[in-house]
Amino acid sequence: MIDQGHIAALTGILGDKGIVTEPGDMAAYETGARYDEGRAALVLRPQTTEEVSAAVGYCVKNGIALIPQSGNTGLVSGATPDATGAQAVLSLDRMTQRFEVDLDNRSLRAGAGLRLSDVNQKLEKHGLFFPIDLGADPRLGGMLATNTGGSRFLKYGDVRRNALGIKVVLADESGTVLDLTSELRKNNTGIDWKQIFIGTSGAFGIITECVLNLEPLPKQVATAYLVPASGAHVMPLLRAMEDRLGAYLSAFEGMSKNSVAAALDHAPSLKNPFQGGKVPDYVILAEVSRTWEPREGEQSLDSVLETVLAEIWESDDAPLADAFVGPAHEMWALRHALSEGVKHSGKLIAFDLSFRRGDIMAFCDRMKDEMPHTFPEVTICDFGHIGDGGVHFNLVVPKDSGSAADKDFERRLRDRVFAIAVQDFNGSFSAEHAIGRKNQAYYDLYTQQKIKDMAQGLKAITSPGDLGTVRFG
Ligand SMILES: Cc1cc2nc3c(=O)[nH]c(=O)nc-3n(C[C@H](O)[C@H](O)[C@H](O)COP(=O)(O)OP(=O)(O)OC[C@H]3O[C@@H](n4cnc5c(N)ncnc54)[C@H](O)[C@@H]3O)c2cc1C
C-alpha cells in the first residue's frame, strides 16, 4: 500500500489523469504480454518530459521504486512490477504528442509513447517508415530500451542503428533531463551517450523522446518460400541469395515444421501454402524489396526473384529442394503467426538466442539430437531471423504434463540450453529481447566482473534511484 500523502503529491504533479490507483484500472499495467503478473503500488502516466522529471524526482526522494513501461509487449519480464505491491509503474502511454518529420533529414522527432503502428501509419503519406518490423506493436520508448531487432534486421539493422538521438530523465533527486536529441547521423565528438540508454531496459534512465532515422517505404515487394535441400544447405542458400540480390534482400526468416504446424493449428484462417498441406521440415521466408515504382521495360521484382531462384536451383550442389513465389501479405501472415501459435501449443519455454550465422543450424541439430534423451517431453518449435543469426528457440511441454508446472524443470532446461548456446557456441543468451527479470540470472552468470563493476559505476552517476527491473552491476 502506498501512503495517501504520496498519491496526493503525485496527483498534484501529474493531474487526475496522470495517476491510476484503482486495482481494476491498474490490471493492464500489471500484466505482461506473456508471462508476468505483478502488483503495482500505483501507475504514473505523465504527458511531458517535464512531468516525468518532476514525478521521478519526487519518487527518488521518497524511495518509491519505478518500473518504466511503454507498450508492455516485452518478453523478458522487464516492464511489469513485482508481486510486492510496492513498485510504481511509470507508463509512457500518454507521451504521444510530439511527431515532427524532417523530410530533408529523413528523420522523425517523436514522443516515446507512440506506437510503432501509429508512427508508420502517419509516415505513409511521406513515403517513409521506421524500418523495424515485428509481430507485436510496441511503443518507441520500449523499442529503444530493448533495442528491438525484428524481421528486417538483415537490411536495416536494429533500433540502435536507426536511433539518432534521445531525451532521457535520470532517476536522481532532481529528475535530471539529459537532452541527447541530436538530428545528426555523423558526430564524432566524444562518447555516444545515447547508446548507454539504448538496449539497457531502462536501468540508467527513462527515455521520453527520440529522433529516429527513417527509410523510404518499399514500393515493390516480392516474397517466396524456400525449402532448403537440408539444414546444411541453409547458409549456402542465404549466401547465394545475398550474392545475387545485394541490398534488395530484405528478409530471410527461418521457420521449422513444428512452428508452422502450431501456427496453422492455432489460426485456422491462415492458408496452408504447401502442396497437399504437407509442411516441409524447414522453410525460409525470403523477401526482396525496392523503393521505386515499377518502370516500363524493367524486369518486375517477382521476375527478378524467380530468375535468381532458377539460377540457384540450377547451380552445382543446389541448396534448394523447392521454392515458390507468393503474395507477401499471406506469406508474412504465417510468419507473424508463429509466435502466438507456438505459445498456444502447450507450456512454452522460450529462448531468444543468437549465433554466428554459420552456427545456427549446427546448434539446432545438436539440440534435436540431445533433447529426446535429456528432456524427452519437450517439442522443439524453433523459428528465427536466420539472416542476422537470431533464433527463437522455443521449447513446448504438454500443458497437462508434470513438467509444465515444475519450476525446477524449467530452470534445468534453461541452464542446459544456455550453457550449450553460450559456452559451446559462443552465442548470446539474449539476442534482441534484452535482459529483464527473466534473463537476470544468466546475465549474472555470463558477464565478466569488470563489466559489472563498470555498469555499477554508470548506474551511480546516471540513475542512483530505484529504477527498472534489471541490475547490470
Ligand atoms: C508476438 C510478439 C512478437 C515479438 N517479436 C519480436 C521481434 O521479432 N524482435 C524483437 O526484438 N522483439 C520482439 N518482441 C518483443 C517486444 O515486442 C520488444 O521487446 C519491444 O521492443 C518492447 O517494446 P514495448 O514498448 O512493448 O516495451 P515494454 O514491454 O513496455 O518494456 C520493455 C523494457 O523496456 C523498459 N522500458 C520501457 N519503456 C521505457 C522507456 N521509455 N525508457 C526506459 N526504459 C523503458 C521496460 O522497463 C522494460 O524493461 C515480440 C513480442 C511479442 C509479444
Side-chain angles (χ1 to χ4, degrees), residues 33-34 67-75 78-79 92 112 133-136 138-139 141-143 145-146 148-151 201-202 205-207 339-340 385 392 432-433 469:
R34 196 153 289 174
I67 308 295
Q69 184 181 101
S70 285
N72 198 12
T73 68
L75 295 176
L92 282 292
D133 171 77
L134 66 163
R139 296 180 192 269
M143 295 183 76
T146 54
T148 319
S151 298
S201 313
I206 299 144
I207 301 167
S339 195
E340 286 301 298
H385 315 299
H392 296 303
E432 58 180 8
H433 291 167
T469 49

Side-chain angles (χ1 to χ4, degrees), residues 164-185:
L164 305 184
I166 53 175
K167 194 177 277 183
V168 186
V169 174
L170 303 179
D172 59 18
E173 292 199 359
S174 315
T176 302
V177 178
L178 204 56
D179 191 347
L180 306 167
T181 53
S182 164
E183 247 91 19
L184 305 179
R185 287 187 173 73

Side-chain angles (χ1 to χ4, degrees), residues 235 354-361 386 388-390 425-428:
M235 280 305 130
S354 91
F355 300 94
R356 278 189 322 151
R357 297 194 314 184
D359 283 342
I360 296 172
M361 300 314 287
I386 301 298
D388 64 42
F425 283 87
N426 281 320
S428 168

Side-chain angles (χ1 to χ4, degrees), residues 317-397:
D317 189 22
L320 264 182
D322 195 6
F324 53 96
V325 173
H329 64 280
E330 278 179 19
M331 292 191 156
W332 276 108
L334 177 56
R335 166 64 187 85
H336 282 321
L338 298 182
S339 195
E340 286 301 298
V342 167
K343 180 184 139 189
H344 282 91
S345 66
K347 151 89 181 176
L348 170 64
I349 302 170
F351 298 82
D352 164 42
L353 308 174
S354 91
F355 300 94
R356 278 189 322 151
R357 297 194 314 184
D359 283 342
I360 296 172
M361 300 314 287
F363 168 80
C364 290
D365 286 347
R366 160 107 181 251
M367 300 315 288
K368 274 182 216 148
D369 284 346
E370 177 175 321
M371 284 286 143
H373 305 293
T374 47
F375 295 94
E377 57 277 74
V378 156
T379 303
I380 303 176
C381 297
D382 61 299
F383 59 91
H385 315 299
I386 301 298
D388 64 42
V391 182
H392 296 303
F393 190 70
N394 299 298
L395 301 180
V396 178
V397 182

